[in-house]
Amino acid sequence: MNRQLKGLALGIVVAGFSLQISATQLIYTPVNPNFGGSYLNGSYLLANASAQNKHTSGSSYTAPTALERMASSLESRLMSQLFNDAANGGEGYLKTTDFEIQVVNEDGMLLVHITDLLTGETTVIEVGGVTDASAIGG
């Protein structure tokens, strides 16, 4: 029996050498077109990503109405005029639905007092180096 095992083992070894074994080099080819893959994979990858997306596409943003845009533009214009007047030595006051703004020019120091009407919180902003435009050029 030992002789039969040796013969079987020898037969396997001879059969192994007689088979032609070949190997090739592995070459990586990217799938994603962003990284050099085929552009034809783009729609497939997008479909897979969309199928896995758990976020809702609904947005909570609502565009402002024409009246809201006009009110915002007017507030912006009034605040700009308020700061220009204060920079020229004047004072100003503006009250909106949310804020109360008082601007004072004290000897080149622009003080902006902002009061939040909803919370009552007050913020003071000091801007130095503001000169009276009427004093320039004398």
Side-chain angles (χ1 to χ4, degrees), residues 2 23 65 71 80 84 93 96 107 110 115 131 135-138:
N2 194 7
T65 64
S80 176
N84 282 336
Y93 174 82
T96 66
D107 299 326
L110 191 64
T115 304
T131 59
I136 296 176

Side-chain angles (χ1 to χ4, degrees), residues 31-81:
V31 175
N32 192 330
N34 290 329
F35 301 108
S38 172
Y39 68 92
L40 298 173
N41 293 334
S43 61
Y44 169 75
L45 292 173
L46 180 61
N48 278 341
S50 297
Q52 296 174 20
N53 187 4
K54 300 211 188 283
H55 297 287
T56 59
S57 62
S59 176
S60 62
Y61 173 75
T62 55
T65 64
L67 183 61
E68 290 170 336
R69 285 194 316 267
M70 187 177 90
S72 175
S73 177
L74 182 61
E75 282 181 6
S76 177
R77 176 71 176 109
L78 289 172
M79 283 194 287
S80 176
Q81 185 62 44

Side-chain angles (χ1 to χ4, degrees), residues 51-127:
Q52 296 174 20
N53 187 4
K54 300 211 188 283
H55 297 287
T56 59
S57 62
S59 176
S60 62
Y61 173 75
T62 55
T65 64
L67 183 61
E68 290 170 336
R69 285 194 316 267
M70 187 177 90
S72 175
S73 177
L74 182 61
E75 282 181 6
S76 177
R77 176 71 176 109
L78 289 172
M79 283 194 287
S80 176
Q81 185 62 44
L82 179 71
F83 292 131
N84 282 336
D85 291 346
N88 292 328
E91 295 185 358
Y93 174 82
L94 177 66
K95 185 174 184 179
T96 66
T97 56
D98 297 325
F99 297 104
E100 184 175 342
I101 303 169
Q102 182 178 9
V103 180
V104 179
N105 187 346
E106 291 184 359
D107 299 326
M109 176 71 74
L110 191 64
L111 298 175
V112 182
H113 298 271
I114 304 171
T115 304
D116 186 345
L117 297 177
L118 301 175
T119 64
E121 185 176 338
T122 301
T123 302
V124 178
I125 301 172
E126 297 179 4
V127 180

